[in-house]
Structures are given as C-alpha cells and as structure tokens.
C-alpha cells in the first residue's frame, strides 16, 4: 500500500500546485478515492470522476473551493480497501471518500467513516445489506439492488414462469439480494426449487460441477446475480454444457446488465438470448455531449490502465463527483481538519484516528443536493439515489436490444417517452418479442405435457396426426377441459403436448408408467383421463378432480320375472312370509283361548278345535270368517288384526301387480363374491389401474382377468357370457361405464358397490407451484354449468341418449323387489302386544276366580296337580248367565213353541255325529212341529242344516250362520 501511496500523493501534489498557480485564493479540499483501478468499473469511474471535476470547475470557475483527489487502488481486496481508507482519513485528513467499489469493501470502510465522521460516498456498493439508515455516514449515489426486485418479478410473471432457479455468488453483494427476491417470488407464487451459491474464488471445474447439478434437475429458468468476473465464466461454462439452447431462459441482474458492453466476444456469444435489466438513463443533451467527449478521450492517460467502454457506474461516478464538489462549495469548508491530531506514525492505528470537523456539515449538504446529472435527476432519498425506471434488454449478437421498460407506477411497457413516462402499458401488449437462447422466438420453459395414446374411449382423449406437418393433433373431453382451465389462469402458460407412444405410434405403457415420466423429468405434466390414486401420488401431485369418481361393475341384464313359476311368492320376502304365517296362527290361538269357555262355536273335540284355530285365523285374510265373537277382549284383538291384514293384503296386491305389469330387468350377477367363488372371468380396461384393484382389493386371481380397450369389445365379451369365452362382468371407472351404457343401455347395467377413487385429475411434479392455480381454475370451470356443460355435450351427447339411458337404468336394481319384514315390523309389534295384553288379562282373571276354590277343595295337591286341575276347569263350559250375549241367543231358542220337532234325514242316527249332538243341545227346547234336517253328507257338511216346518212343503235351505235367525223367525210365527 505504501508503494501505491507515494506516486498518488505526487500526482495530488502536482494538482495542488496547478490549482495554486491558477488562483492562490481557492480553498483546496482533499477527497479520497478508493477503487479497483484494474477492473472495468474502477478504470472507467476514475476517468469519469476526473472529467466531472474538470467540467464542474469549468462551469463554476468562480467557486472558492477546489477538490483535490487522492486516489488509491484497493486491488479488489477488502483489507487493502480498508487500509487505504484509514490511511486517507488518518494521514491525509480527507473530508470525504468516494468508494470503495464493492459492497464487501464498503462494509469495513463505512465503519471507519462512522468513527471519523467522514462521509463515505459509494456509487457501486449496491447490496441491500448496506443501508444508509443503519450507517449514518454512508451515502449511496446508486440504486439499491432491491429496487430491481419488483421488475424481475414482473418479467417472471409476464411469461408465466412458475419456477425459477437462483444463481448468485457467496459475497455480501450476492447474498444481500436473495431475501428480497424470495419475498417477491413468493408474492407472485413462483417457486424457487434450487439455489446455487458460487464462491467468488471458485475455479472453472468447480463452477462446471455446479452447472452439471443444475442440468440434472431439469430446471430451465435461471436468475443470475453475480459480478462480471464470475458471471462471464458461468455463461461460458453453461454454454459448453448445452444449457444456452432452445428451451432455456436466463435473466441477469443490474450488476451484469450494466457491464455487457465491456465483455469479450466469447462471453457475449455464450450469452445470446439472455434477458437483463438495468436502470433507465433518460436521453439528454448533457449525456450526449459527455459521450462524445468520452469517445475522444478514450485513450487512457495511464498506459498500464485499460479503459473500456462507458458504463452505468461511470455515469454515477461522474454525478457523484459533481454532487460532492457542489456540496463542498455550499458547505463553505475552509481551513478545516480533524479535531484530534494523529500522534502515531502507523497507518493502521485506529486509536489515533481523529474526528472530522466538517463531516456532519458536509454530509447534510450532500443529502440535500439536487441537480440534473448525466445519469438523470440526482436526488437522494434516505441517503441513496431515488429509484427510477428500468429498461429490459435482450442480448443479441454483439449488442443488446431494449425490449421493454418497467416503472413502479405502471409496471411493464414496451416504450417510454423522453420524460420517462410509459407509452404503452402491459394491459395492451406485453414486452417486445425477445430472441431466446437457441436463436428462437419460441418461449422457453414450455410445459412438456404428456398425453396418453388410447385405442378406445377416445371421447376422453384422442391423438391424431396432421398429414402435412406430421404433428400430433390432440382433442377430447380432457383436452378441452384443460384448455378451458388455462384460460381462467391469471397468467399465461405456454405448453406443448407430447404423446406417450412408441415408434409405432402405439401406447408406450400404462397410466402408471405415464405419470412416472414426470418423476423421470421427461414430462412437466400429464393431461388426460388420469385417475387420482394413492400409489401415483407418491411421485406426482394431482390437481383437484374434474370428473366424478369410483370404480364399479357392469353386467348383462335379463327379463325373466314374468315367466317365473313362483312369481306369486315374490311380492313378500321369505322372512315376511314366515312372520305373517306365525302371526295368523298366534292370533287364531289367542282368539280360541279367549272364546273357548263361553262360545260354543269354539268348543268340541281337540282335532275339531285345532281345525277351528287354523280356519278362523286364515279366513280373516280374506275376511271370510263367520264365527261371532263373544268376548270383548277377542273383539279388541280382532280390530287390530283386521288392520294388519288389510295393510298386508293391499301391499301384496300392489307389489304383485307391479311385477306383472312393469318390465323389470334383472342383472345376471349382483355379487362380486359369487363371481369370484365360481371362478368366472372378469374384464377391465387395458393399461388401467383397475387391474391392481381387482387383484389386491377384490382378491381375483390374475388368470381370471381379461383386458379390453373399446366399448365394442366390452359388448362382445359380456354378450358371450361365462359359457362362450366371455366374462361375467366388466370392472371400470364410472365415466367409462356411463359412456358404455350410453351405447348399450338396454342390455347392460351397473351393479354392486362403488369402490372409491378421486376421479380424473391433471398430474404435475411434486411441489409444483402450478397445482394450486390449476386446481382453483378447475373449480371455476366445473362450477360454470354453461361452460362445462358445453364440453360434456360436445363429446358425450352425440353417442346416444345418455340421459334416457341413465333414467332407464335407475329401474334396474341389484336387490330383490320383494317386500321385507322391516317395512311391517311396527304392525306386528302392535298386534302382538295387543294379543299378549288381552291373553294376559283373561288368564289372570281366570286364575283369580278358580285358584282359591281349587286350593280349598284340594289342599294337599301339588302345584303341578293344581295346574292340571285348572286346565280341566278351563275346558268346562262357563255358565252363560254372566254373559248377556249368550243369554240373548239362548232365549231366542227357548221361546220356540213345543209343536216343533227336530228331524234327521234318511233316518240316520244323530248320536254318531258329535256336531249334531252339539247343535241339538243348543235347540233342545224347539217344538216338535218343526224339523231340523241335516244334509245327507254329514261329514262334509256338518255345519249346514235345514229348518223345516210341518206347515211348509218346501222348506228353504239355509246355512249354519243363519240358523239362529231362522229359528227366531219361526218362533215369531207360532201363535201364543
């Protein structure tokens, strides 16, 4: 550093002598300059600073102050820059320092300036990690790197890129911008899957290794934030790796974009198609004059210093020197120095560093200085240059072409006027057409969308080939839904469809293999009738489904119901038949118990009474019973029972009528277990995941599975059946089954349970930021009934009357049409409860009446003996006197006059007929004048007889139920 110091001091001394010779009254103010003089930025900046002071004092010759520049070379080293700044403040007592050049160097120099209260003015330390707000004596006469973040995000969003890879150097300059970029990309929902950090000391092999990693990730959009030295090496190696060809996109930040011109031909050749952005410099007469003078003085005054073309940092350096000269004059700095003199001869003695007397005044003056410079308006806000518009460039050949602009107020535009205002906004047109890497106008990072190649069911997706261009033509329901989804996205999305096929243009594999191509990075997405299933979600992310879900079974149907020999049993199920029969018998038994002791019609020999129980109960089914009830409990039971019988008979009649009049198509199979246990063949769609479901979930043997591809093959296989080489059933997803039934709805039906799946969806790589956008767009499309309905109608209505087929299939049921017990369980509970209540009350009353008497007469008998005696008492006929109904009927018989006679036809002995005995006992008081004639066939007609009067030659014949009334009328005709 000492070697560098003495020549520089000598130059400063000559300058001071020159100024002294011109005017001994001018106040010379020493100002330090710390630059990397061998860099493109440093060399240009040094000359621009010198030209700025020359121009300033030429215009303002009457000013009382003159800046004396003390320039020191940092050699691109942080320690050297700090040492140079310390030396300038400690030994030269400079009032300000222009520089240092890099953010890493400025980080240390700023601390020295804060301690000595010397303003540190940098035009090139742009890292956001260095802020004037945190460093009061730091002034940035350049744009903060974070000012370009919004512009970068606008470019990414404009082209619809949902993923981008960051490449930056591991320095304060590189690391400082990354948090701002991440926030900006998160705001526009662009994912950053990878970040590549390259140390500035990396050699070519180390950089090439990082590039190889990038190539393996299949990433295609990159943002580079490095210095020119590292960036130039990166692009040469990326070009050698084949990553500067068609399909890739590269964006460079301000640090590289501002220095594209000085780069060599080889580097520029490697950067063809790159997009960059840099602050917009408005045109002005002052700028044009400066450029002309720059070209005339391009030859350096120092033979060992190579000065390249003018760049943005040179313009900022020019304005910085101009602003400092203006501020020094305005502050009126005269004969001032440091308050604390240095007592040490060491250049690095921080303890001996003094405090500038004019530092604060000069700082305040610079912050309020405003003028129109060569780079535009010089106006500092919070210690740094006011943000301006950015211009977007495209590297083409040896130059760069401006394709658009960005401002905070209006965003992207194609043109700006001379004042820097937007001429055409992004709402009307996007950026001008860039030339992308590979010398193409085709947008990079197109989504490579894999589509299945189908043999059948091409209503969902169909791949055809253009005869002229030999390019695939994609159509179908899934394709149109995807296009409708893209139209609802808030950003453009470029894509290309790539059929998943082999050399013969046939399908290259199953749907599982198709979706796995995303994992292999051969496709960026899969669009088609791809079902969302668990195993596929292990390596891809699905969007929300756009179709209904589920796997079901389709079978052949038959209509043999009307020809069934036992169809009359079909209306009621077996359990209902058995329950109804049991209810009839139980009800008859209850009535017999309630009527046996007091009603003669329920008395007689055991076999006769058993027949009475069945006859009475089942005759109520058609209301054909003729026995009269004596007990009120019996009548209560019968009222409820009649209601039950009425409901049962009406339901039976309606069900049977429906079976005989309405066509009922019955499926040949309804149970998967039946098909599997009998070893029948089943079919499924070729290349479908349904095969795995049949084997793993439904436990079918793989040898019993057959594959089919088209609806016609489904039809043929089901029509052949299990006996002729066909199948018992076809298993497939519901959308395919509905399409199949739309063509053959009269012959087949969908039966059995539905096995849950999540429907058709679009597949993307895991973690893709497109998935939530596409999913939301799918909801918008599917919930728009007009839009989605038009797509469905386009592909599914022409194949047949789908709606009518769906309606007709609704009458086909895999369950039995018979009425079940559950429908009548309440009725049986009610009638059973009533019967049990009546029977319980009657038996309790009987026991209460006869048990005390039995206990008195048979005190020594056991409990079982007493029960037997009670049973005998029960079989005895009860005295009718307590029953008014019985008294009424018997009185009508006793009143008959004595001349009536009971006659038995054919002189048959009535004693041999117990029924006759029973009936004669009931009419023992009938007059001898009348004759009761019994039919000839007493065994078959034991309950029919004729009432004959001697006065009638042809007595009328009546049945047994009218016998009492005939006798009563007979009694009324006899005179008293």
């Amino acid at each position: 550093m000492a070697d560098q110091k003495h020549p520089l001091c000598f130059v400063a001394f000559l300058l001071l002598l020159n100024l002294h010779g011109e005017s001994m009254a001018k106040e010379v103010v020493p100002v330090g300059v710390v630059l990397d003089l061998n860099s493109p930025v440093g060399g240009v900046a040094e000359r621009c600073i010198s030209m700025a002071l020359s121009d300033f004092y030429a215009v303002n010759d009457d000013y009382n102050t003159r800046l004396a520049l003390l320039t020191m070379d940092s050699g691109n080293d942080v320690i050297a820059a700090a040492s140079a700044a310390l030396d300038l403040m400690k030994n030269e007592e400079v009032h300000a320092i222009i520089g240092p050049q890099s953010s890493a160097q400025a980080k240390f120099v700023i601390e020295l300036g804060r301690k000595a209260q010397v303003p540190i003015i940098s035009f090139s330390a742009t890292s956001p990690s260095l802020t004037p707000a945190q460093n009061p004596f730091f002034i940035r006469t350049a744009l903060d790197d974070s000012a370009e973040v919004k512009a970068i995000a606008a470019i990414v969003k404009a082209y619809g890129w949902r993923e981008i890879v960051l490449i930056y150097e591991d320095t304060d300059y590189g690391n400082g911008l990354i948090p701002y970029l991440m926030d900006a990309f998160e705001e526009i929902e662009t994912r950053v899957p990878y970040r590549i950090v390259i140390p500035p000391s990396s050699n070519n092999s180390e950089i090439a290794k990082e590039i190889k990693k990038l190539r393996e990730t299949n990433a295609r959009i990159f943002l580079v934030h490095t210095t020119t030295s590292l960036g130039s090496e990166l692009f040469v190696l990326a070009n050698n790796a084949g990553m500067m060809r068609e399909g890739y996109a590269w964006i460079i930040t301000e640090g590289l974009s501002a220095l594209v011109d000085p780069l060599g031909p080889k580097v520029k050749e490697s950067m063809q198609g790159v997009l960059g952005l840099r602050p917009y410099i408005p045109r002005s007469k002052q700028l044009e004059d400066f450029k002309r003078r720059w070209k005339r003085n391009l030859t350096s005054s120092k033979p060992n210093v190579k000065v390249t073309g003018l760049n943005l940092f040179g313009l900022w350096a020019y304005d910085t020197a101009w602003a400092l000269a203006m501020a020094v004059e305005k502050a009126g700095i005269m004969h001032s120095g440091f308050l604390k003199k240095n007592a040490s001869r060491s250049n690095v003695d921080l303890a001996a560093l003094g405090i500038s007397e004019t530092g604060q005044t000069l700082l305040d003056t610079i912050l309020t200085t405003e003028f129109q410079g060569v780079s535009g308006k010089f106006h500092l806000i919070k210690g740094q240059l006011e943000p301006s518009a950015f211009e977007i460039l495209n590297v083409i050949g040896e130059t760069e072409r401006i394709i658009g602009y960005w401002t905070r107020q209006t965003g992207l535009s194609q043109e700006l006027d001379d004042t820097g205002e937007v001429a055409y906004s992004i709402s009307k047109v996007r950026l001008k057409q860039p030339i992308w890497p590979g010398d193409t106008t085709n947008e990079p990072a197109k989504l490579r969308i894999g589509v299945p190649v189908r043999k059948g069911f091409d209503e969902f997706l169909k791949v055809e080939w253009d005869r002229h261009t030999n390019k695939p033509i994609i159509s179908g329901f899934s394709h149109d839904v995807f296009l409708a989804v893209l139209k609802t996205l808030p950003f453009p999305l470029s894509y290309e469809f790539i059929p998943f096929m082999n050399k013969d243009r046939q399908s290259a594999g199953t749907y599982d293999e198709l979706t796995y191509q995303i994992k292999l990075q051969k496709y960026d997405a899969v669009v088609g009738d791809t079902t969302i299933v668990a195993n596929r979600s292990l390596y891809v992310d699905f969007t929300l489904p756009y179709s209904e879900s589920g796997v079901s079974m389709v079978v052949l149907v038959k209509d043999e119901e009307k020809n069934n020999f036992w169809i009359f049993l079909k209306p009621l199920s077996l359990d209902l038949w058995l329950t109804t029969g049991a209810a009839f018998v139980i009800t008859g038994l209850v009535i017999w118990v309630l009527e046996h002791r007091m009603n003669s019609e329920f008395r007689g020999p055991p076999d006769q009474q058993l027949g009475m129980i069945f006859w009475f109960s089942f005759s109520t089914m058609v209301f054909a019973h003729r026995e009269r009830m004596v007990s009120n409990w019996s009548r209560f039971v019968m009222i409820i029972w009649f209601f039950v019988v009425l409901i049962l008979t009406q339901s039976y009649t309606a069900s049977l009528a429906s079976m005989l009049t309405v066509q009922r198509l019955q499926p040949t199979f309804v149970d998967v277990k039946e098909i599997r246990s009998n070893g029948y063949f089943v079919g499924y769609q070729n290349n479908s995941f349904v095969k795995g479901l049949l084997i793993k979930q439904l436990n079918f043997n793989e040898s019993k599975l057959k594959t089919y591809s088209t609806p016609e093959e489904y039809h043929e296989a089901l029509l052949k059946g299990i006996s002729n080489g066909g199948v018992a059933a076809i298993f497939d997803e519901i959308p395919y089954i509905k399409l199949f039934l739309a063509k053959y709805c009269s012959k087949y039906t969908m039966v059995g349970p539905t096995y849950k799946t999540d429907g058709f969806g679009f597949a993307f790589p895991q973690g893709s930021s497109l998935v939530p956008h596409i999913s939301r767009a799918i909801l918008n499309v599917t919930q728009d009934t007009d839009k989605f309905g038009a797509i469905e109608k386009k592909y599914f209505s022409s194949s047949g009357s789908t709606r009518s087929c769906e309606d007709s299939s609704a009458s086909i049921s895999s369950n039995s049409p018979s009425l079940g017990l559950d429908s009548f369980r309440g009725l049986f509970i009610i009638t059973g409860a009533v019967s049990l209540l009546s029977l319980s009350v009657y038996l309790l009353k009987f026991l209460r009446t006869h048990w005390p008497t039995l206990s008195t007469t048979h005190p020594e008998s056991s409990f079982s003996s007493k029960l037997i005696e009670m049973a005998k008492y029960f079989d005895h006929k009860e005295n009718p006197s307590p029953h008014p109904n019985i008294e009424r009927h018997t009185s009508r018989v006793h009143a008959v006059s004595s001349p009536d006679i009971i006659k038995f036809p054919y002189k048959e002995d009535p004693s041999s007929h117990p029924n006759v005995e029973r009936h004669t006992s009931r009419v023992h008081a009938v007059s001898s004048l009348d004759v009761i004639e019994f039919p000839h066939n007493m065994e078959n007609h034991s309950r029919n007889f004729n009432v004959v009067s001697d006065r009638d030659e042809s007595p009328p014949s009546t049945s047994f139920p009218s016998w009492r009334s005939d006798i009563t009328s007979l009694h009324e005709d006899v005179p008293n």
Side-chain angles (χ1 to χ4, degrees), residues 229-298:
S229 58
L230 184 61
S232 58
E233 295 177 1
L234 174 69
F235 278 104
V236 171
L237 294 174
N239 186 36
N240 295 338
M243 296 178 66
M244 299 301 297
R245 55 184 172 83
E246 183 177 357
Y248 288 88
W250 296 77
I251 303 175
I252 55 177
T253 59
E254 171 194 320
L256 271 174
S257 300
L259 300 172
V260 171
D261 282 341
L263 299 178
K266 184 177 181 181
V267 177
K268 281 191 174 182
E269 182 182 354
S270 301
M271 295 179 65
Q272 295 299 299
V274 170
L275 296 185
L277 74 163
R278 62 194 176 197
Y280 169 69
I281 305 300
R283 299 188 186 95
S284 65
K285 183 177 182 301
Q286 183 181 0
L287 175 61
E288 296 302 323
D289 291 343
F290 177 71
K291 288 182 177 180
R292 283 195 295 270
R293 288 187 290 112
W294 175 267
K295 291 181 180 179
R296 287 198 301 266
N297 301 321
L298 190 59

Side-chain angles (χ1 to χ4, degrees), residues 447-482:
L447 282 180
R448 298 167 301 170
I449 300 176
V451 294
V453 177
R454 302 189 55 87
K455 182 180 179 182
F457 295 101
D458 52 12
E459 290 86 351
F460 290 97
L461 198 129
K462 185 176 183 180
V463 179
E464 298 176 301
W465 297 90
D466 190 294
R467 295 181 179 179
H468 304 289
T469 63
N470 202 31
K471 293 183 178 180
I473 302 174
I474 312 299
S475 61
F477 174 72
S478 299
H479 169 267
D480 286 11
V481 170
F482 181 72

